Coordinates of all heavy atoms in Angstrom, one line a residue:
M6 N -112.9 91.6 -20.5 CA -113.2 90.4 -21.3 C -112.3 90.3 -22.5 O -111.9 89.2 -22.9 CB -114.7 90.5 -21.7 CG -115.2 89.3 -22.3 SD -115.3 88.0 -21.2 CE -116.1 86.7 -22.1
E7 N -112.1 91.5 -23.1 CA -111.2 91.5 -24.3 C -109.8 91.1 -23.9 O -109.1 90.3 -24.7 CB -111.2 92.9 -24.9 CG -110.5 92.9 -26.2 CD -110.6 94.3 -26.9 OE1 -111.7 94.9 -26.9 OE2 -109.6 94.7 -27.4
A8 N -109.3 91.5 -22.7 CA -108.0 91.1 -22.3 C -107.9 89.6 -22.1 O -106.9 89.0 -22.4 CB -107.6 91.8 -21.0
Q9 N -109.0 89.0 -21.5 CA -109.0 87.6 -21.3 C -109.0 86.8 -22.6 O -108.3 85.8 -22.7 CB -110.3 87.2 -20.4 CG -110.3 85.8 -20.0 CD -109.1 85.4 -19.1 OE1 -108.7 86.2 -18.3 NE2 -108.6 84.2 -19.2
N10 N -109.7 87.3 -23.6 CA -109.7 86.7 -24.9 C -108.3 86.7 -25.5 O -107.9 85.8 -26.2 CB -110.7 87.4 -25.8 CG -112.2 87.0 -25.5 OD1 -112.4 86.0 -24.8 ND2 -113.1 87.9 -25.9
W11 N -107.6 87.9 -25.4 CA -106.3 88.0 -25.9 C -105.3 87.0 -25.2 O -104.5 86.4 -25.9 CB -105.8 89.5 -25.7 CG -104.4 89.7 -26.2 CD1 -104.0 89.8 -27.5 CD2 -103.3 89.9 -25.4 NE1 -102.7 90.0 -27.5 CE2 -102.2 90.1 -26.2 CE3 -103.0 89.8 -24.0 CZ2 -100.9 90.2 -25.8 CZ3 -101.7 90.0 -23.6 CH2 -100.7 90.2 -24.4
I12 N -105.5 86.9 -23.9 CA -104.6 86.0 -23.1 C -104.9 84.5 -23.6 O -103.9 83.8 -23.8 CB -104.9 86.1 -21.6 CG1 -104.4 87.4 -21.1 CG2 -104.2 85.0 -20.8 CD1 -104.8 87.8 -19.7
N13 N -106.1 84.2 -23.8 CA -106.5 82.8 -24.2 C -106.0 82.6 -25.6 O -105.5 81.5 -25.9 CB -108.0 82.6 -24.1 CG -108.5 82.5 -22.7 OD1 -107.7 82.1 -21.8 ND2 -109.8 82.8 -22.5
S14 N -106.0 83.6 -26.5 CA -105.5 83.4 -27.8 C -104.0 83.2 -27.9 O -103.5 82.4 -28.6 CB -105.9 84.6 -28.7 OG -105.2 85.7 -28.4
I15 N -103.3 83.9 -27.0 CA -101.9 83.7 -26.9 C -101.6 82.3 -26.3 O -100.7 81.6 -26.8 CB -101.2 84.7 -26.0 CG1 -101.4 86.1 -26.5 CG2 -99.8 84.4 -25.7 CD1 -100.7 86.4 -27.8
I16 N -102.3 81.9 -25.3 CA -102.0 80.6 -24.7 C -102.3 79.4 -25.7 O -101.6 78.5 -25.7 CB -102.9 80.4 -23.4 CG1 -102.3 81.3 -22.3 CG2 -102.9 79.0 -22.9 CD1 -103.2 81.4 -21.0
N17 N -103.4 79.6 -26.4 CA -103.8 78.5 -27.4 C -103.1 78.7 -28.8 O -103.5 78.0 -29.7 CB -105.3 78.5 -27.5 CG -106.0 78.2 -26.2 OD1 -105.5 77.5 -25.4 ND2 -107.2 78.8 -26.0
S18 N -102.2 79.6 -28.9 CA -101.6 79.8 -30.2 C -100.8 78.7 -30.7 O -100.6 78.5 -31.9 CB -100.7 81.1 -30.2 OG -99.6 80.9 -29.4
T19 N -100.3 77.8 -29.9 CA -99.5 76.7 -30.3 C -100.4 75.4 -30.5 O -99.8 74.4 -30.9 CB -98.4 76.3 -29.3 OG1 -99.0 76.1 -28.0 CG2 -97.5 77.5 -29.1
D20 N -101.6 75.5 -30.4 CA -102.5 74.3 -30.6 C -102.4 73.9 -32.1 O -102.5 74.8 -33.0 CB -103.9 74.6 -30.2 CG -104.1 74.7 -28.7 OD1 -103.2 74.3 -28.0 OD2 -105.2 75.2 -28.3
G21 N -102.3 72.6 -32.4 CA -102.2 72.2 -33.7 C -100.8 72.2 -34.3 O -100.6 71.7 -35.4
H22 N -99.8 72.7 -33.6 CA -98.5 72.7 -34.1 C -97.8 71.4 -33.7 O -98.0 70.9 -32.6 CB -97.7 73.9 -33.6 CG -98.1 75.2 -34.2 ND1 -97.6 75.8 -35.3 CD2 -99.1 76.1 -33.8 CE1 -98.2 76.9 -35.5 NE2 -99.1 77.1 -34.6
Q23 N -96.9 70.9 -34.6 CA -96.2 69.7 -34.3 C -94.8 70.1 -33.7 O -94.2 71.1 -34.1 CB -95.9 68.9 -35.5 CG -97.2 68.2 -36.0 CD -96.9 67.4 -37.3 OE1 -95.8 67.5 -37.8 NE2 -97.8 66.6 -37.7
A24 N -94.3 69.3 -32.7 CA -93.0 69.5 -32.2 C -91.9 69.2 -33.2 O -92.1 68.3 -34.0 CB -92.8 68.6 -30.9
A25 N -90.9 70.0 -33.1 CA -89.7 69.7 -34.0 C -89.1 68.4 -33.7 O -88.9 68.1 -32.5 CB -88.7 70.9 -33.9
E26 N -88.7 67.7 -34.7 CA -88.1 66.4 -34.5 C -86.7 66.4 -35.2 O -86.6 66.8 -36.3 CB -88.9 65.2 -35.1 CG -90.2 65.0 -34.4 CD -91.0 63.9 -35.0 OE1 -90.4 63.0 -35.7 OE2 -92.2 63.9 -34.8
P27 N -85.6 66.1 -34.4 CA -84.3 66.1 -35.0 C -84.1 65.0 -35.9 O -84.8 63.9 -35.9 CB -83.4 66.0 -33.8 CG -84.2 65.3 -32.7 CD -85.6 65.7 -33.0
S28 N -83.1 65.1 -36.8 CA -82.8 64.1 -37.7 C -82.2 62.9 -37.0 O -81.7 63.1 -35.9 CB -81.9 64.5 -38.8 OG -80.6 64.9 -38.3
D29 N -82.3 61.7 -37.6 CA -81.8 60.5 -36.9 C -80.3 60.5 -36.6 O -79.8 60.0 -35.6 CB -82.1 59.3 -37.7 CG -83.7 59.1 -37.8 OD1 -84.3 59.5 -36.8 OD2 -84.1 58.4 -38.7
D30 N -79.5 61.2 -37.5 CA -78.1 61.1 -37.3 C -77.5 62.4 -36.6 O -76.3 62.6 -36.6 CB -77.4 61.0 -38.7 CG -77.7 62.1 -39.7 OD1 -78.7 62.8 -39.4 OD2 -76.9 62.3 -40.6
L31 N -78.4 63.2 -36.1 CA -77.9 64.4 -35.4 C -77.0 64.1 -34.2 O -76.0 64.7 -34.0 CB -79.1 65.3 -34.9 CG -78.8 66.6 -34.3 CD1 -78.0 67.5 -35.2 CD2 -80.0 67.3 -33.7
F32 N -77.4 63.1 -33.4 CA -76.6 62.8 -32.2 C -75.2 62.3 -32.7 O -74.2 62.7 -32.0 CB -77.3 61.7 -31.4 CG -76.5 61.3 -30.2 CD1 -76.5 62.1 -29.1 CD2 -75.8 60.1 -30.2 CE1 -75.7 61.7 -28.0 CE2 -75.1 59.7 -29.1 CZ -75.1 60.5 -28.0
I33 N -75.1 61.5 -33.7 CA -73.9 61.0 -34.2 C -73.0 62.2 -34.7 O -71.8 62.3 -34.4 CB -74.1 60.0 -35.4 CG1 -74.8 58.8 -34.8 CG2 -72.8 59.6 -36.0 CD1 -75.3 57.8 -35.8
K34 N -73.6 63.2 -35.4 CA -72.9 64.4 -35.8 C -72.3 65.2 -34.6 O -71.2 65.6 -34.6 CB -73.7 65.3 -36.7 CG -74.1 64.7 -38.0 CD -75.0 65.7 -38.8 CE -75.4 65.2 -40.1 NZ -76.3 66.1 -40.8
I35 N -73.1 65.4 -33.6 CA -72.7 66.1 -32.4 C -71.6 65.4 -31.7 O -70.6 66.0 -31.3 CB -73.9 66.3 -31.5 CG1 -74.9 67.3 -32.1 CG2 -73.4 66.9 -30.1 CD1 -76.2 67.4 -31.3
Q36 N -71.7 64.1 -31.6 CA -70.7 63.3 -30.9 C -69.4 63.3 -31.7 O -68.3 63.4 -31.1 CB -71.1 61.8 -30.8 CG -70.3 61.0 -29.8 CD -70.4 61.5 -28.4 OE1 -71.5 61.9 -27.9 NE2 -69.3 61.4 -27.7
A37 N -69.4 63.3 -33.0 CA -68.2 63.4 -33.8 C -67.5 64.8 -33.7 O -66.3 64.8 -33.6 CB -68.6 63.2 -35.3
R38 N -68.3 65.8 -33.5 CA -67.7 67.2 -33.3 C -67.0 67.2 -31.9 O -66.0 67.8 -31.8 CB -68.8 68.3 -33.4 CG -69.3 68.5 -34.7 CD -68.8 69.7 -35.6 NE -68.3 70.9 -35.0 CZ -68.9 72.0 -35.1 NH1 -70.1 72.1 -35.6 NH2 -68.3 73.1 -34.6
I39 N -67.6 66.6 -30.9 CA -67.1 66.6 -29.6 C -65.8 65.8 -29.6 O -64.8 66.2 -28.9 CB -68.1 66.1 -28.6 CG1 -69.3 67.0 -28.4 CG2 -67.4 65.8 -27.2 CD1 -70.4 66.5 -27.6
D40 N -65.7 64.7 -30.3 CA -64.6 63.9 -30.3 C -63.4 64.5 -31.0 O -62.2 64.0 -30.9 CB -64.9 62.5 -30.9 CG -65.8 61.7 -30.0 OD1 -65.8 62.0 -28.8 OD2 -66.5 60.8 -30.5
Q41 N -63.6 65.6 -31.8 CA -62.5 66.2 -32.5 C -61.6 67.0 -31.5 O -60.4 67.2 -31.8 CB -63.1 67.3 -33.5 CG -63.7 66.6 -34.7 CD -64.3 67.7 -35.6 OE1 -64.3 68.9 -35.3 NE2 -64.7 67.3 -36.8
Y42 N -62.1 67.4 -30.4 CA -61.3 68.2 -29.4 C -60.6 67.3 -28.5 O -61.1 66.2 -28.1 CB -62.3 69.1 -28.6 CG -62.9 70.2 -29.5 CD1 -64.2 70.0 -29.9 CD2 -62.2 71.3 -29.9 CE1 -64.8 71.0 -30.7 CE2 -62.8 72.3 -30.7 CZ -64.1 72.1 -31.1 OH -64.7 73.0 -31.9
P43 N -59.4 67.7 -28.2 CA -58.6 66.8 -27.3 C -59.1 66.8 -25.8 O -59.7 67.8 -25.4 CB -57.2 67.4 -27.3 CG -57.4 68.8 -27.7 CD -58.6 68.8 -28.6
R44 N -59.0 65.7 -25.2 CA -59.5 65.6 -23.8 C -58.5 66.2 -22.8 O -57.3 66.2 -23.0 CB -59.6 64.1 -23.4 CG -60.6 63.3 -24.3 CD -61.9 63.3 -23.6 NE -62.8 62.4 -24.4 CZ -64.0 62.7 -24.6 NH1 -64.6 63.8 -24.0 NH2 -64.8 61.9 -25.3
V45 N -59.0 66.8 -21.7 CA -58.2 67.4 -20.7 C -57.8 66.3 -19.7 O -58.7 65.5 -19.3 CB -58.9 68.5 -20.0 CG1 -58.1 69.1 -18.9 CG2 -59.3 69.6 -21.0
S46 N -56.6 66.2 -19.4 CA -56.1 65.1 -18.4 C -56.7 65.4 -17.1 O -56.9 66.5 -16.6 CB -54.6 65.0 -18.4 OG -54.1 66.2 -17.8
T47 N -56.9 64.3 -16.3 CA -57.5 64.4 -15.0 C -56.5 65.1 -14.0 O -57.0 65.8 -13.1 CB -57.9 63.1 -14.4 OG1 -56.8 62.2 -14.5 CG2 -59.0 62.5 -15.2
S48 N -55.2 64.9 -14.3 CA -54.3 65.6 -13.4 C -54.3 67.1 -13.6 O -54.2 67.9 -12.6 CB -52.9 65.1 -13.7 OG -52.5 65.3 -15.0
A49 N -54.6 67.6 -14.8 CA -54.7 69.0 -15.0 C -56.0 69.6 -14.3 O -56.0 70.7 -13.8 CB -54.8 69.3 -16.5
V50 N -57.0 68.8 -14.3 CA -58.3 69.2 -13.7 C -58.1 69.3 -12.2 O -58.5 70.3 -11.5 CB -59.4 68.3 -14.0 CG1 -60.7 68.6 -13.2 CG2 -59.8 68.3 -15.5
W51 N -57.4 68.3 -11.6 CA -57.2 68.3 -10.1 C -56.2 69.4 -9.8 O -56.4 70.1 -8.7 CB -56.6 66.9 -9.7 CG -57.6 65.9 -9.6 CD1 -57.9 64.8 -10.4 CD2 -58.7 65.9 -8.6 NE1 -58.9 64.1 -9.9 CE2 -59.5 64.7 -8.8 CE3 -59.0 66.7 -7.5 CZ2 -60.5 64.4 -8.0 CZ3 -60.1 66.3 -6.7 CH2 -60.8 65.2 -7.0
L52 N -55.2 69.7 -10.6 CA -54.3 70.8 -10.3 C -55.0 72.1 -10.4 O -54.8 73.0 -9.5 CB -53.2 70.8 -11.4 CG -52.1 71.9 -11.2 CD1 -51.4 71.7 -9.9 CD2 -51.1 71.8 -12.4
A53 N -55.9 72.3 -11.3 CA -56.7 73.6 -11.4 C -57.6 73.7 -10.2 O -57.7 74.8 -9.6 CB -57.5 73.6 -12.7
A54 N -58.2 72.6 -9.8 CA -59.1 72.6 -8.6 C -58.3 72.9 -7.3 O -58.8 73.7 -6.5 CB -59.9 71.3 -8.5
A55 N -57.2 72.3 -7.2 CA -56.3 72.6 -6.0 C -55.9 74.0 -6.0 O -55.8 74.7 -4.9 CB -55.1 71.6 -6.0
S56 N -55.5 74.6 -7.1 CA -55.1 76.0 -7.2 C -56.2 76.9 -6.8 O -56.0 77.9 -6.1 CB -54.6 76.3 -8.6 OG -53.5 75.5 -9.0
F57 N -57.4 76.6 -7.3 CA -58.5 77.4 -7.0 C -58.8 77.4 -5.5 O -59.1 78.4 -4.9 CB -59.7 76.9 -7.8 CG -61.0 77.7 -7.7 CD1 -61.0 79.0 -8.2 CD2 -62.1 77.2 -7.0 CE1 -62.2 79.8 -8.1 CE2 -63.2 78.0 -6.9 CZ -63.3 79.3 -7.4
L58 N -58.8 76.2 -4.9 CA -59.0 76.1 -3.4 C -58.0 76.8 -2.6 O -58.3 77.5 -1.6 CB -59.1 74.7 -3.0 CG -60.4 73.9 -3.5 CD1 -60.3 72.5 -3.1 CD2 -61.6 74.6 -2.9
L59 N -56.7 76.7 -3.1 CA -55.6 77.4 -2.4 C -55.8 79.0 -2.5 O -55.6 79.7 -1.5 CB -54.3 77.1 -3.0 CG -53.0 77.7 -2.4 CD1 -52.9 77.3 -1.0 CD2 -51.8 77.4 -3.3
L60 N -56.2 79.4 -3.7 CA -56.5 80.9 -3.8 C -57.6 81.3 -2.9 O -57.5 82.4 -2.3 CB -56.8 81.1 -5.3 CG -57.1 82.6 -5.7 CD1 -55.9 83.4 -5.4 CD2 -57.6 82.7 -7.1
I61 N -58.7 80.6 -2.8 CA -59.8 80.9 -1.9 C -59.3 80.9 -0.5 O -59.6 81.9 0.3 CB -61.0 79.9 -2.1 CG1 -61.6 80.2 -3.5 CG2 -62.0 80.1 -1.0 CD1 -62.7 79.2 -3.8
G62 N -58.5 79.9 -0.1 CA -58.0 79.9 1.3 C -57.1 81.1 1.6 O -57.3 81.7 2.7
L63 N -56.3 81.5 0.7 CA -55.4 82.6 0.9 C -56.2 83.9 1.0 O -55.9 84.8 1.8 CB -54.4 82.7 -0.2 CG -53.3 81.6 -0.2 CD1 -52.4 81.7 -1.4 CD2 -52.5 81.7 1.1
N64 N -57.3 84.0 0.2 CA -58.1 85.2 0.3 C -58.8 85.3 1.6 O -58.9 86.4 2.2 CB -59.2 85.2 -0.8 CG -58.6 85.6 -2.2 OD1 -57.6 86.4 -2.2 ND2 -59.1 85.1 -3.2
F65 N -59.3 84.2 2.1 CA -60.0 84.2 3.4 C -59.0 84.6 4.5 O -59.3 85.3 5.4 CB -60.6 82.9 3.8 CG -62.0 82.7 3.2 CD1 -62.3 81.7 2.3 CD2 -63.0 83.6 3.5 CE1 -63.5 81.6 1.7 CE2 -64.3 83.5 2.9 CZ -64.5 82.5 2.0
K66 N -57.8 84.0 4.4 CA -56.7 84.3 5.4 C -56.4 85.8 5.4 O -56.2 86.4 6.4 CB -55.5 83.5 5.2 CG -54.4 83.6 6.3 CD -53.3 82.7 6.0 CE -52.2 83.0 7.1 NZ -51.1 82.1 7.0
A67 N -56.2 86.4 4.2 CA -55.9 87.8 4.1 C -57.0 88.7 4.6 O -56.8 89.7 5.3 CB -55.6 88.1 2.6
L68 N -58.3 88.3 4.3 CA -59.4 89.1 4.9 C -59.5 89.0 6.4 O -59.7 90.0 7.1 CB -60.7 88.6 4.3 CG -60.9 88.9 2.8 CD1 -62.2 88.3 2.3 CD2 -61.0 90.4 2.6
K69 N -59.2 87.8 6.9 CA -59.2 87.7 8.4 C -58.1 88.5 9.0 O -58.3 89.1 10.1 CB -59.1 86.2 8.7 CG -59.2 85.9 10.2 CD -59.1 84.4 10.5 CE -59.3 84.2 12.0 NZ -59.2 82.7 12.3
Q70 N -56.9 88.5 8.4 CA -55.8 89.3 8.9 C -56.1 90.8 8.9 O -55.8 91.5 9.8 CB -54.5 89.0 8.1 CG -53.3 89.6 8.7 CD -52.1 89.2 8.0 OE1 -52.2 88.5 6.9 NE2 -50.9 89.6 8.4
V71 N -56.7 91.3 7.8 CA -57.0 92.7 7.7 C -58.1 93.0 8.8 O -58.0 94.1 9.4 CB -57.6 93.0 6.3 CG1 -58.2 94.3 6.2 CG2 -56.4 92.9 5.3
H72 N -59.1 92.2 9.0 CA -60.1 92.5 10.0 C -59.5 92.5 11.4 O -59.8 93.4 12.2 CB -61.2 91.4 9.9 CG -62.2 91.6 11.0 ND1 -63.1 92.6 10.9 CD2 -62.5 90.8 12.1 CE1 -63.9 92.5 12.0 NE2 -63.6 91.4 12.7
H73 N -58.5 91.6 11.6 CA -57.9 91.5 12.9 C -57.0 92.8 13.2 O -57.0 93.4 14.2 CB -57.0 90.3 13.1 CG -56.4 90.1 14.4 ND1 -57.1 89.8 15.5 CD2 -55.1 90.1 14.7 CE1 -56.2 89.7 16.6 NE2 -55.0 89.9 16.1
T74 N -56.3 93.2 12.1 CA -55.5 94.4 12.2 C -56.3 95.6 12.5 O -56.0 96.5 13.3 CB -54.7 94.6 10.9 OG1 -53.9 93.4 10.7 CG2 -53.8 95.8 11.0
Q75 N -57.5 95.8 11.8 CA -58.4 96.9 11.9 C -58.9 96.9 13.3 O -59.1 97.9 13.9 CB -59.5 96.9 10.9 CG -59.0 97.2 9.5 CD -60.1 97.1 8.5 OE1 -61.2 96.5 8.8 NE2 -59.9 97.6 7.3
K76 N -59.3 95.7 13.9 CA -59.8 95.6 15.2 C -58.8 96.1 16.2 O -59.1 96.9 17.2 CB -60.3 94.2 15.5 CG -61.0 94.0 16.8 CD -61.4 92.6 17.0 CE -62.1 92.4 18.3 NZ -62.5 91.0 18.5
N77 N -57.5 95.7 16.1 CA -56.5 96.1 17.0 C -56.2 97.6 16.9 O -55.9 98.2 17.9 CB -55.2 95.3 16.7 CG -55.3 93.9 17.2 OD1 -56.1 93.5 18.0 ND2 -54.3 93.1 16.8
Q78 N -56.3 98.1 15.7 CA -56.1 99.6 15.5 C -57.2 100.4 16.2 O -56.9 101.4 16.8 CB -56.0 99.9 14.1 CG -54.7 99.5 13.4 CD -54.7 99.9 11.9 OE1 -55.8 100.2 11.3 NE2 -53.6 99.7 11.3
S79 N -58.4 99.9 16.1 CA -59.5 100.6 16.8 C -59.4 100.6 18.3 O -59.7 101.6 18.9 CB -60.9 100.1 16.3 OG -61.0 98.8 16.7
V80 N -58.9 99.5 18.8 CA -58.7 99.4 20.3 C -57.6 100.4 20.7 O -57.7 101.1 21.7 CB -58.4 98.0 20.7 CG1 -58.0 97.9 22.1 CG2 -59.6 97.1 20.5
S81 N -56.5 100.4 19.9 CA -55.4 101.3 20.3 C -55.8 102.8 20.1 O -55.3 103.6 20.9 CB -54.2 101.0 19.5 OG -54.4 101.2 18.1
E82 N -56.7 103.1 19.2 CA -57.1 104.4 19.0 C -58.0 104.9 20.2 O -57.9 106.0 20.7 CB -57.9 104.6 17.7 CG -57.1 104.5 16.5 CD -58.0 104.5 15.2 OE1 -59.2 104.6 15.3 OE2 -57.4 104.4 14.1
I83 N -58.8 104.0 20.7 CA -59.6 104.3 21.9 C -58.8 104.5 23.1 O -58.9 105.4 23.9 CB -60.7 103.2 22.1 CG1 -61.7 103.2 21.0 CG2 -61.4 103.3 23.5 CD1 -62.6 102.0 21.0
A84 N -57.8 103.6 23.2 CA -56.9 103.7 24.4 C -56.1 105.0 24.3 O -55.8 105.6 25.4 CB -55.9 102.5 24.4
S85 N -55.7 105.5 23.1 CA -54.9 106.7 23.1 C -55.8 107.9 23.3 O -55.3 109.0 23.7 CB -54.2 106.8 21.7 OG -55.2 107.0 20.7
D86 N -57.1 107.8 23.1 CA -58.0 108.9 23.4 C -58.3 109.1 24.9 O -58.8 110.1 25.3 CB -59.3 108.7 22.6 CG -59.1 108.9 21.2 OD1 -58.1 109.5 20.8 OD2 -60.0 108.5 20.4
L87 N -58.0 108.1 25.7 CA -58.2 108.2 27.1 C -57.3 109.2 27.7 O -56.2 109.5 27.1 CB -58.1 106.8 27.8 CG -59.1 105.8 27.5 CD1 -58.8 104.4 28.2 CD2 -60.5 106.2 27.9
N88 N -57.6 109.6 28.9 CA -56.8 110.5 29.6 C -55.4 109.9 29.8 O -55.3 108.7 30.0 CB -57.4 110.9 30.9 CG -56.8 112.1 31.6 OD1 -55.7 112.5 31.2 ND2 -57.4 112.6 32.6
K89 N -54.4 110.6 29.8 CA -53.0 110.1 29.9 C -52.8 109.4 31.3 O -51.9 108.6 31.4 CB -52.0 111.2 29.7 CG -52.0 111.8 28.3 CD -51.8 110.7 27.2 CE -51.9 111.4 25.8 NZ -52.1 110.5 24.8
S90 N -53.6 109.8 32.2 CA -53.4 109.2 33.6 C -54.2 107.9 33.7 O -54.4 107.4 34.8 CB -53.9 110.2 34.7 OG -55.2 110.4 34.5
N91 N -54.7 107.4 32.6 CA -55.5 106.2 32.6 C -56.8 106.3 33.4 O -57.4 105.3 33.8 CB -54.7 105.0 33.0 CG -53.6 104.6 32.1 OD1 -53.7 104.9 30.9 ND2 -52.6 104.0 32.6
Q92 N -57.3 107.5 33.6 CA -58.6 107.7 34.2 C -59.7 107.7 33.2 O -59.5 108.5 32.2 CB -58.6 109.0 35.1 CG -57.5 109.0 36.2 CD -57.9 107.9 37.2 OE1 -59.1 107.8 37.5 NE2 -56.9 107.2 37.8
L93 N -60.7 107.0 33.4 CA -61.8 107.1 32.4 C -62.6 108.3 32.6 O -63.2 108.8 31.6 CB -62.8 105.9 32.7 CG -62.2 104.5 32.4 CD1 -63.2 103.4 32.7 CD2 -61.8 104.4 30.9
Y94 N -62.7 108.9 33.8 CA -63.4 110.1 34.0 C -62.5 111.2 34.5 O -61.6 111.0 35.3 CB -64.5 109.9 35.1 CG -65.4 108.8 34.7 CD1 -65.3 107.6 35.4 CD2 -66.4 109.0 33.8 CE1 -66.2 106.5 35.0 CE2 -67.3 107.9 33.4 CZ -67.2 106.7 34.1 OH -68.0 105.7 33.7
Q95 N -62.7 112.4 34.0 CA -61.8 113.5 34.4 C -62.3 114.1 35.6 O -63.5 114.4 35.8 CB -61.7 114.5 33.3 CG -61.0 114.1 32.0 CD -61.0 115.1 30.9 OE1 -61.7 116.1 31.0 NE2 -60.1 114.9 30.0
H96 N -61.4 114.4 36.6 CA -61.8 115.1 37.8 C -61.4 116.5 37.6 O -60.2 116.8 37.4 CB -61.1 114.5 39.0 CG -61.5 113.0 39.2 ND1 -62.7 112.7 39.7 CD2 -60.8 111.9 39.0 CE1 -62.8 111.4 39.8 NE2 -61.6 110.9 39.4
E97 N -62.3 117.4 37.8 CA -62.0 118.8 37.6 C -61.9 119.5 38.9 O -62.4 119.3 39.9 CB -63.0 119.5 36.7 CG -63.0 119.0 35.3 CD -64.0 119.6 34.5 OE1 -64.5 120.7 34.8 OE2 -64.4 119.1 33.4

């Protein structure tokens, strides 16, 4: 019961408080600070996006090539482990 009272007191602790209200000219101040910084050209944004996509594509290609090389190596290792006469089973 005491725990429930503590929970209720925490939940109701903000009752009677007023929400903070920003000053009327706050939006204008924020907008003025944003306008101080130079804009990035759209061509620079597209160039960065294209570079990023190219990098991702090259990474996928490299990973695929490594996987393919490892797969071929494992097949050749299995083949080299077979009997030299290409027999799967040894006859004794």
Side-chain angles (χ1 to χ4, degrees):
M6 187 67 172
E7 186 175 318
Q9 187 63 36
N10 288 339
W11 179 75
I12 292 170
N13 287 337
S14 69
I15 297 295
I16 291 174
N17 297 328
S18 65
T19 59
D20 289 348
H22 291 267
Q23 291 182 346
E26 294 182 19
S28 63
D29 293 335
D30 61 339
L31 181 62
F32 180 75
I33 296 169
K34 287 179 183 178
I35 293 172
Q36 194 66 38
R38 291 264 324 254
I39 291 172
D40 290 339
Q41 288 177 352
Y42 295 100
R44 301 263 184 218
V45 178
S46 67
T47 55
S48 61
V50 172
W51 281 108
L52 180 64
S56 300
F57 186 69
L58 289 175
L59 179 65
L60 181 65
I61 289 173
L63 290 173
N64 281 332
F65 276 119
K66 185 177 180 181
L68 287 174
K69 187 176 179 181
Q70 186 176 7
V71 167
H72 177 68
H73 183 67
T74 304
Q75 288 175 349
K76 186 176 177 181
N77 286 345
Q78 286 177 348
S79 64
V80 170
S81 63
E82 288 172 5
I83 292 170
S85 68
D86 288 341
L87 291 176
N88 193 349
K89 299 301 180 196
S90 65
N91 292 332
Q92 297 294 321
L93 294 176
Y94 303 105
Q95 292 180 346
H96 297 287
E97 295 180 20

